[in-house]
Structures are given as structure tokens and as C-alpha cells.
Amino acid sequence: SAGATLPAGHPALLTIVESMLTALNTPAEAVQLAVSDCLESLARADSMKEEPRLEEAVLELRARVAAASVSYGERRGACLGLAALIRGLGIRTLARYGLVSLVREGAEGSASDREGALLLLEALSARLGPTVEPYVVPLMPVMLKVSLFFRFCIVFLCFFFPFYIGI
């Protein structure tokens, strides 16, 4: 990413980060993955460690994951971008911005909250690999509860739907 070579505080950095955050709203996975790769390399740059816009980006993406009015594609893009920023800024970013509690609260919330929590957990696991395990292990009871809820709904629909439509 060209932005990684710019010095901290350069006016073009704001434009670059803004355009990347906007591109994450595109509901195409290939675009979202490419943008998240660029965000990660931008966040890894030494000159970007003190950049306040990256912190604002983390908070903005965190809010997008938790927002009920956001579509699936936007929420998935926010999760991929958030995981990329966490990998670029360091694993301590998880605790710094309360992302583990966001997953825990989301798993116990509404359907859109559960979707956001599971997408964020998937993105973190895919991007960070085994590094995220110490943070994920305490969430396992909550995640199992969520997956059992979805499994119950699927079994319920498979069993009762044929009777409902008269098969």
C-alpha cells in the first residue's frame, strides 16, 4: 500500500483511510479481502502507529459490526477490516477496544447482534490464526449456545415445514 510509505500526519492518509473504509461497504468479498489486506499493511507501518485516524477507523468499524441497521455485506466488510486492523496494530488492540466483550454481548443479543458476533469471530480466527485463541477460549460457551440456537431453529423448520405446506 502506498499509504504505508507516507509519514504520520500526512494529509493524504486521511483520504486513503476514508476511501478504504468506504470500499469495505462493497458487498463483494474479493473487494473486501483486498481492502482488508491493504488496511493491514497500512496499520503495520511504523509511521502509522501514532496515527489517530486508525484508532477512529477501529471505533467506526466496531460500531458498524454492532449496528442493527447495517446489511450483511457491510457488516462482513467491517469485520474483515477490523480483523485486518487488529493484526496490523497488534493483538492487544482486542482488549484495548473491548472487542472480546463486543463478541460476548453480541452473542447474547438480537439476531443481527449474533450475526455480527459470529462474523467478527470468523474474521478474527481467519486473519489472526492461533494468536487469537487465548481470547476466544473464554467465549466458547457463549458461541456453543448460539450455534445450538441456530441448530434448533433449523431442526424445527425441517421437521415442521413439510407439515405446514401439506407434504
Side-chain angles (χ1 to χ4, degrees):
S1 164
T5 61
L6 295 173
H10 194 279
L13 287 175
L14 179 64
T15 308
I16 292 170
V17 173
E18 288 296 325
S19 64
M20 285 185 184
L21 292 178
T22 304
L24 282 174
N25 289 334
T26 306
E29 187 176 16
V31 172
Q32 292 172 343
L33 288 172
V35 170
S36 64
D37 289 342
C38 292
L39 272 174
E40 180 184 338
S41 66
L42 188 65
R44 280 182 188 261
D46 290 333
S47 63
M48 295 300 291
K49 296 296 182 187
E50 297 86 29
E51 182 63 37
R53 183 58 191 126
L54 282 183
E55 291 186 20
E56 293 171 15
V58 170
L59 294 174
E60 181 181 331
L61 291 173
R62 184 187 190 282
R64 249 191 253 174
V65 169
S69 62
V70 176
S71 70
Y72 173 82
E74 292 175 357
R75 185 174 286 127
R76 182 160 174 81
C79 291
L80 291 172
L82 198 52
L85 284 174
I86 290 168
R87 185 166 180 193
L89 294 172
I91 193 74
R92 292 183 186 163
T93 310
L94 276 173
R96 184 175 177 189
Y97 293 103
L99 297 173
V100 175
S101 64
L102 175 71
V103 172
R104 180 177 287 119
E105 292 165 6
E108 296 170 348
S110 67
S112 64
D113 292 342
R114 285 191 299 268
E115 179 184 68
L118 291 173
L119 284 173
L120 182 57
L121 194 60
E122 174 196 0
L124 289 172
S125 298
R127 180 69 67 167
L128 298 170
T131 313
V132 79
E133 283 181 11
Y135 296 93
V136 173
V137 170
L139 296 174
M140 279 300 126
V142 175
M143 292 297 120
L144 287 172
K145 183 178 172 183
V146 169
S147 65
L148 287 175
F149 173 75
F150 286 126
R151 177 174 274 165
F152 172 75
C153 291
I154 291 169
V155 169
F156 182 79
L157 287 174
C158 290
F159 182 74
F160 287 110
F161 188 70
F163 296 113
Y164 179 73
I165 60 172
I167 295 179

